[in-house]
Amino acid sequence: MDATLAYSGDISRFRSQWTSIVELLRSRAQTYADRNLYTFLPDGPAAESSLTFAELDQRACAIGARLQSAGASRQRVLLLFPPGLDYIAAFFGCLYAEAVAVPAYPPRQNRNLERLAAVIQDAQPVIVLTTQAILSQIERWLTENAALNMLQWLAVDSISDSWATQWKEPAVNGETLAFLQYTSGSTASPKGVMITHGNLLHNEEMIQRGFGQTEQSIIVGWLPLFHDMGLIGNVLQPLYVGAPCVLLSPMSFLQRPFRWLEAISKYRATTSGGPNFAYDFCVRKISPAQREALDLSSWTVAFNGAEPVRPETLDRFCAAFEPCGFQRRAFFPCYGLAEATLFVSGGPRETAPEVGAFKRSSLEQKDVAATNDQDGRRLVSCGTGSGEQQLRIVDPETLLECGPDRVGEIWISSASVAQGYWNNPGETRRIFQASLADTGDGPYLRTGDLGFIHSDQLFITGRLKDLIIIRGRNCYPEDIEHSVGVCDPSLRPGEGAVFSLDINGEERLIVVHEVSKDYRANDPATAIDNIRKVLAEEHDLQLYAVALIKPGTILKTSSGKIRRQAMKNAFAKGKLDIVLSWELAESSIEPEAAIAVPAAGYEAIKEWIAVKLASMLGLNRSQIDAGVSIARYGLDSLAALELAHSIEQNFDASLPVVTFMQDVT
């Protein structure tokens, strides 16, 4: 046994039966013309909408022709869409125009604009594709933001199908750049992963083999379509195998997770999944009465990826939903990253996930030793990989391959590995063109993830860097630290550390920050309020704990860099010189107010909301000021959804979730 997982076949010899995604869709449209490909379930009472294979081909031709007429061929095109079929048509329209699609986070009020501006500056798109509704919402921003205002904007719902007759099929092939994947990277320096048609075709083949997908599969998904797992796993994979796909919006899932499992039950889905938190969320939020209405016996591939897969989550989900027909062997833990297009390893299928227990003390020393002790660290295997690729475990400092049962950085050689970072040759060489120090073997992709191979199974142990993963999102500490450092005069800019800790099986965000020398002139308690607010407003994150420490006590390297791991250890061991601290309570401090509806008056409703907010945040009612912005209390989007849902249930009144994320009292 060694630290390599190698698969038969020459990586360079991968040949798809299609030369591009364009040829794939055109072929499928002829074979399955009138068969539904995508069905989108709305959040409200509106009817579901769908696209057949032939309809998607026609829409892609029309949008592609319009882009060709605008000179977008071989140029970048920014995609800003809400979840729905318009986004899917726009993405394929870019491919049909030989344009490079740039999926981005859709703007929400005044949020995400900093990140959006950074992506625009890096990608330099010539056109923005969106909808009429979004265009009307952001017209004010266009006048205030020069970068946005300089771009040409097109609403796809105003592009007539008659444009399809003017489409000219481009000469695209496996080496043609398909899109830039801005799914990770600091706001200050976003990285666009360059994905070709060949990368996509190879990765879709790996997913098909790993998941065992066929045209008889039925796929249900709620993941964001601008995220690699949502786009490549839930949109392109159904097209690749010729299977129908049912989609709902991320907001729909977060507001009522029952809708996800209800869709699986109703449409008899065989494949669906998401990050680890989604399964725990279902356990917490789906009632026993709702479970009785579910039949999950058709669900054979429940993939779990994008963040650490926790054995406790698998246990809890099985305990809750095995009575609904769910089978533990359906769980399909997997590992992947944007730089490898998406999927790297997973499974195996139709086998209960392999969970190993390993000595914590040994893992800390980069050694792997199995144990039967209850104190051992339980890790879920991410399978043995799929397709013609090679995984190696390498010492990240010496660049030598690790020996058996040693922890190191995961390196990948595969036809799915992307071409590098857009307009960033230095990082491309460092990350995508690594080679072993002794043999020169390469090039390999350096994943930045730490893991080991044990009994031919890949186990992930952590990150080489300080990346924080919360609810499947990659969060970069330097971005958060900057926001925190300038949010209150009591804090010293640049003198803080953020990290995450495992709290009851969930990654939670911790802030440790120095106060200024004259902090007594201000109110440190106000600083904590401002930290909660800025994390929610700028990063959509909820604070779990904060420790304000004395000036000059933050730990740094000799070159002046914050030692985040050392601060994390000091926080966990209670070894900080703390001026003031705060921690989110795990349970409600006060019961929800009982309000008779609809007899409740203004004061009673206001009191109910204040008590509910206090309960959600683990605060006393006396700590909630009804005249202060709700956003100041640090609600992230998930908490805002819970508050909106509670009001809807108790008062039969529907409020937009964004209400609770704005500056309203």
Side-chain angles (χ1 to χ4, degrees), residues 352-463:
E354 182 170 328
V355 179
F358 304 94
K359 291 183 179 179
R360 295 178 184 272
S361 58
S362 295
L363 290 177
E364 290 174 359
Q365 301 300 318
K366 308 302 183 189
D367 278 323
V368 178
T371 180
N372 294 321
D373 293 344
Q374 293 183 344
D375 293 336
R377 183 179 176 188
R378 296 175 71 211
L379 296 173
V380 180
S381 161
C382 288
T384 59
S386 175
E388 302 87 354
Q389 66 174 347
Q390 191 174 68
L391 306 184
R392 291 186 182 272
I393 305 300
V394 178
D395 186 308
E397 296 182 0
T398 66
L399 306 187
L400 297 174
E401 186 168 11
C402 294
D405 283 332
R406 286 284 293 173
V407 175
E409 184 182 11
I410 301 166
W411 286 20
I412 303 171
S413 181
S414 165
S416 285
V417 171
Q419 308 309 296
Y421 296 121
W422 174 258
N423 200 29
N424 196 335
E427 279 296 282
T428 294
R429 283 192 298 271
R430 189 177 73 85
I431 300 299
F432 289 86
Q433 298 171 13
S435 58
L436 295 175
D438 53 351
T439 65
D441 187 25
Y444 288 96
L445 167 68
R446 297 189 62 169
T447 67
D449 292 309
L450 296 174
F452 61 89
I453 295 167
H454 181 76
S455 299
D456 292 328
Q457 298 285 311
L458 177 65
F459 292 85
I460 312 298
T461 61
R463 287 285 301 176

Side-chain angles (χ1 to χ4, degrees), residues 590-612:
E590 300 184 29
E592 294 183 12
I595 303 176
V597 181
Y602 169 79
E603 289 298 329
I605 293 174
K606 183 175 70 173
E607 179 65 15
W608 187 94
I609 294 174
V611 171
K612 177 64 178 176

Side-chain angles (χ1 to χ4, degrees), residues 307-348:
E307 64 183 9
V309 180
R310 301 182 180 278
E312 300 82 6
T313 298
L314 309 186
D315 296 340
R316 286 191 290 263
F317 192 86
C318 287
F321 294 100
E322 279 178 341
C324 307
F326 182 82
Q327 300 178 71
R328 188 181 184 89
R329 68 171 183 260
F331 266 128
F332 191 93
C334 48
Y335 165 69
L337 66 162
E339 285 81 355
T341 300
L342 174 63
F343 180 73
V344 173
S345 68

Side-chain angles (χ1 to χ4, degrees), residues 590-633:
E590 300 184 29
E592 294 183 12
I595 303 176
V597 181
Y602 169 79
E603 289 298 329
I605 293 174
K606 183 175 70 173
E607 179 65 15
W608 187 94
I609 294 174
V611 171
K612 177 64 178 176
L613 184 61
S615 173
M616 291 174 61
L617 297 175
L619 302 174
N620 291 302
R621 167 61 185 91
S622 60
Q623 294 175 274
I624 302 295
D625 183 347
V628 170
S629 164
I630 289 178
R632 176 167 289 277
Y633 292 102

Side-chain angles (χ1 to χ4, degrees), residues 365-653:
Q365 301 300 318
K366 308 302 183 189
D367 278 323
V368 178
T371 180
N372 294 321
D373 293 344
Q374 293 183 344
D375 293 336
R377 183 179 176 188
R378 296 175 71 211
L379 296 173
V380 180
S381 161
C382 288
T384 59
S386 175
E388 302 87 354
Q389 66 174 347
Q390 191 174 68
L391 306 184
R392 291 186 182 272
I393 305 300
V394 178
D395 186 308
E397 296 182 0
T398 66
L399 306 187
L400 297 174
E401 186 168 11
C402 294
D405 283 332
R406 286 284 293 173
V407 175
E409 184 182 11
I410 301 166
W411 286 20
I412 303 171
S413 181
S414 165
S416 285
V417 171
Q419 308 309 296
Y421 296 121
W422 174 258
N423 200 29
N424 196 335
E427 279 296 282
T428 294
R429 283 192 298 271
R430 189 177 73 85
I431 300 299
F432 289 86
Q433 298 171 13
S435 58
L436 295 175
D438 53 351
T439 65
D441 187 25
Y444 288 96
L445 167 68
R446 297 189 62 169
T447 67
D449 292 309
L450 296 174
F452 61 89
I453 295 167
H454 181 76
S455 299
D456 292 328
Q457 298 285 311
L458 177 65
F459 292 85
I460 312 298
T461 61
R463 287 285 301 176
L464 187 59
K465 294 187 176 180
D466 297 318
L467 183 70
I468 298 169
I469 303 177
I470 294 181
R471 293 175 186 155
R473 285 178 51 210
N474 290 350
C475 306
Y476 281 74
E478 55 266 31
D479 292 342
I480 304 170
E481 288 161 358
H482 172 73
S483 298
V484 169
V486 298
C487 76
D488 190 273
S490 297
L491 305 175
R492 298 184 68 195
E495 303 299 325
V498 300
F499 46 84
S500 65
L501 280 176
D502 185 333
I503 308 294
N504 296 326
E506 183 178 358
E507 290 297 311
R508 307 300 294 268
L509 187 68
I510 315 294
V511 170
V512 176
H513 208 98
E514 286 187 9
V515 294
S516 60
K517 292 181 180 179
D518 59 348
Y519 71 90
R520 293 180 180 84
N522 301 293
D523 182 2
T526 302
I528 293 177
D529 290 342
N530 286 332
I531 291 171
R532 281 201 302 256
K533 184 171 186 273
V534 76
L535 290 179
E537 289 186 342
E538 295 187 12
H539 301 280
D540 194 18
L541 292 169
Q542 187 168 15
L543 181 66
Y544 177 79
V546 59
L548 300 183
I549 59 177
K550 289 185 177 181
T553 59
I554 198 86
L555 301 176
K556 297 182 179 181
T557 65
S558 58
S559 60
K561 295 181 180 179
I562 303 295
R563 296 173 58 197
R564 296 189 184 97
Q565 292 302 316
M567 295 304 300
K568 179 176 180 176
N569 291 335
F571 176 88
K573 295 177 180 178
K575 294 184 177 181
L576 296 175
D577 199 349
I578 294 177
V579 173
L580 184 66
S581 65
W582 173 88
E583 183 175 302
L584 180 69
E586 282 300 290
S587 59
S588 302
I589 292 176
E590 300 184 29
E592 294 183 12
I595 303 176
V597 181
Y602 169 79
E603 289 298 329
I605 293 174
K606 183 175 70 173
E607 179 65 15
W608 187 94
I609 294 174
V611 171
K612 177 64 178 176
L613 184 61
S615 173
M616 291 174 61
L617 297 175
L619 302 174
N620 291 302
R621 167 61 185 91
S622 60
Q623 294 175 274
I624 302 295
D625 183 347
V628 170
S629 164
I630 289 178
R632 176 167 289 277
Y633 292 102
L635 290 185
D636 63 1
S637 58
L638 188 57
L641 281 160
E642 291 187 38
L643 182 56
H645 183 48
S646 292
I647 290 175
E648 182 177 325
Q649 284 187 314
N650 284 276
F651 298 99
D652 194 27

Side-chain angles (χ1 to χ4, degrees), residues 88-152:
I88 295 174
F91 179 81
F92 284 102
C94 289
L95 302 187
Y96 272 45
E98 198 182 351
V100 180
V102 184
Y105 294 103
R108 185 175 67 234
Q109 298 300 316
N110 64 341
R111 304 171 75 176
N112 297 328
L113 285 180
E114 182 182 357
R115 176 178 176 81
L116 182 59
V119 168
I120 290 173
Q121 183 177 2
D122 189 66
Q124 295 291 301
V126 297
I127 290 175
V128 182
L129 285 182
T130 187
T131 64
Q132 291 279 14
I134 285 186
L135 196 53
S136 63
Q137 291 173 9
I138 65 174
E139 283 179 341
R140 176 176 58 83
W141 300 341
L142 296 183
T143 60
E144 298 173 356
N145 189 298
L148 296 178
N149 202 26
M150 290 175 60
L151 298 171
Q152 181 181 352

